């Protein structure tokens, strides 16, 4: 679990640094977001890396898994650069610390609780699918009320997923794991918690972030 959290924290740090650097450079930011091909690449590249790791991790070497994880963190940083343009730096910092505290509490709960959280899985997955569908619909409707509802439900879903994923990662660990197997499990576990953290933060930003 220490390896999982180390990879996750390092990934978040890389994404944060890249996001700030891109947003602080008007030339780079403008080049990315005024070029349709680059914009779509920035949007879809993180998903491509997630799918590659999810479906190909068993066949990959640990070094390849690590490389894909860092590439994912970098492309996510570029994708997240837009939040520094949309929201004030002070509100981003405030929401980051709220997210960190919430994530830490729920991850600790998931790690220490004796309650089996397996039953949460299907419920949370349905909630996640609902959020995706509602977000697509609201892209065309542009309803403020629906956006608020999506954000509130999103916070609840990703809070639950943080505890659920932490327990699942803990249960998947085996003392027999070593070398490449242990590294790959650490990286993939970090990816799952990274996504929980980032999505929770984005949902909280939509609720509490101060727009420029």
């Amino acid at each position: 679990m220490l390896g999982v959290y180390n990879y996750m924290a390092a990934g978040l740090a890389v994404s944060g640094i890249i996001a700030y650097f891109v947003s602080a450079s008007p030339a780079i930011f403008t080049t990315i977001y005024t070029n349709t091909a680059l914009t779509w690449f920035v949007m879809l590249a993180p998903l491509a890396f997630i799918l590659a790791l999810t479906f190909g991790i068993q066949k990959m070497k640990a070094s390849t898994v690590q490389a894909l994880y860092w590439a994912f963190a970098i492309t996510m940083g570029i994708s997240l650069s837009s939040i520094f343009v949309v929201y004030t730096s002070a509100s981003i910092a405030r929401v980051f610390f709220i997210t960190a505290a919430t994530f830490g509490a729920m991850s600790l709960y998931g790690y220490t609780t004796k309650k089996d959280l397996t039953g949460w899985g299907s419920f949370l997955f349905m909630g996640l699918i609902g959020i995706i569908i509602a977000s697509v619909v609201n892209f065309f409707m542009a309803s403020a009320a629906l956006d608020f509802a999506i954000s509130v439900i999103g916070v609840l879903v990703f809070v639950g997923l943080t505890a659920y994923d932490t327990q699942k990662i803990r249960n998947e660990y085996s003392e027999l794991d070593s070398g490449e197997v242990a590294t790959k499990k650490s990286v993939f576990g970090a990816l799952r918690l990274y996504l929980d953290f980032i999505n929770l933060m984005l949902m909280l930003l939509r609720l509490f972030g101060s727009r420029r």
Side-chain angles (χ1 to χ4, degrees), residues 53 56-68 179-181 183-184 187:
L53 285 168
I57 193 168
Q58 298 298 332
K59 300 178 181 178
M60 295 176 184
K61 293 182 179 180
S63 57
T64 304
V65 171
Q66 290 172 314
L68 286 175
E180 294 224 341
V181 174
T183 299
K184 290 196 288 186
V187 173

Side-chain angles (χ1 to χ4, degrees), residues 7 51 77 91 99-100 102 105 112 135 138 142 154 156 164 166 174 184 210:
Y7 274 113
L51 293 174
S91 68
T99 305
T102 305
T112 58
S135 297
N138 202 41
L156 297 175
Y164 171 80
T166 301
S174 168
K184 290 196 288 186
S210 301

